[in-house]
Each structure stands twice: as C-alpha cells, then as structure tokens.
C-alpha cells in the first residue's frame, strides 16, 4: 500500500496538480488542462535531455530540476539501463492508474 501511495505522489508531482484528475476540462485558453500539464512535462523532459537521446540520465534529471525523477530514478528505470525514457514513465503511470 505504501508503494502505491509513493507512486501516486510521484505521478502527482510530475504532472503538477496530479494525474489522478483525468477528467478533461477546458482551460482558459481552450486547451484541455490535462494536455497542458503533459505539454509542460514534455517541455521539461526535452529541456533536461541535454544529449537529445530521448532519455534522461540521473545527472540530466538533476540538472533539469526534475527532483522527483531523481528521487525515484531506480524505480522509474524499469530496464535498468541507467536512463529513464518517456515510455518508462508513461508505462508506470498507466500501470498505476489502471490498477
């Protein structure tokens, strides 16, 4: 149970107000709020990915200010290659949201 709570907290931190709120609500600019958070995360991920390989090392995540990724890096790095990809993050989110 504690593991699920920790993962939910991580997901919430990664996506601003939280991924648990999945209802799409129009924002002031006409863009769905969820899409806005995902775009913000993608921009932060891309900015932190200094070598442009589509993955973050722990050092890249740290220098990019992605503290929650750094703190949970070993859990997020599913294939243990020393990098966290968007796909690894999305897979974790999907598995936690659907269970």
């Amino acid at each position: 149970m504690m593991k699920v709570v920790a993962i939910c907290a991580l997901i919430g931190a990664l996506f601003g107000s939280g991924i648990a709120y999945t209802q799409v609500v129009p924002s002031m600019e006409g863009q769905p709020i969820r899409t806005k958070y995902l775009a913000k995360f993608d921009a932060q991920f891309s900015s932190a990915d200094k070598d442009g390989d589509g993955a973050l090392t722990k050092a890249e995540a740290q220098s990019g200010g992605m503290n929650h990724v750094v703190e949970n890096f070993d859990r997020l790095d599913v294939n243990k290659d020393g990098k966290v990809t968007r796909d690894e993050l999305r897979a974790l989110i999907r598995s936690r949201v659907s269970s």
Side-chain angles (χ1 to χ4, degrees), residues 47-87:
S47 177
D49 183 16
K50 296 299 182 193
D51 61 6
D53 67 350
L56 298 178
T57 62
K58 198 173 209 178
E60 286 176 323
Q62 190 167 21
S63 69
M66 300 181 80
N67 298 330
H68 292 288
V69 171
V70 173
E71 292 166 8
N72 296 283
F73 194 86
D74 293 333
R75 186 179 316 141
L76 294 169
D77 183 13
V78 177
N79 63 357
K80 305 300 180 206
D81 65 350
K83 298 179 180 184
V84 174
T85 65
R86 283 184 175 98
D87 289 338

Side-chain angles (χ1 to χ4, degrees), residues 83-99:
K83 298 179 180 184
V84 174
T85 65
R86 283 184 175 98
D87 289 338
E88 286 173 320
L89 289 168
R90 288 178 184 141
L92 179 68
I93 292 166
R94 277 192 301 270
S95 72
R96 296 302 176 197
V97 170
S98 65
S99 48

Side-chain angles (χ1 to χ4, degrees), residues 7-67:
I7 294 297
C8 287
L10 168 67
I11 291 168
L14 287 174
F15 292 103
S17 296
I19 194 75
Y21 183 75
T22 58
Q23 181 180 1
V24 177
V25 178
S27 69
M28 300 290 270
E29 300 83 25
Q31 186 180 28
I33 291 172
R34 183 170 180 233
T35 302
K36 197 171 161 182
Y37 287 128
L38 291 174
K40 180 180 175 183
F41 173 76
D42 279 339
Q44 187 177 16
F45 189 101
S46 295
S47 177
D49 183 16
K50 296 299 182 193
D51 61 6
D53 67 350
L56 298 178
T57 62
K58 198 173 209 178
E60 286 176 323
Q62 190 167 21
S63 69
M66 300 181 80
N67 298 330

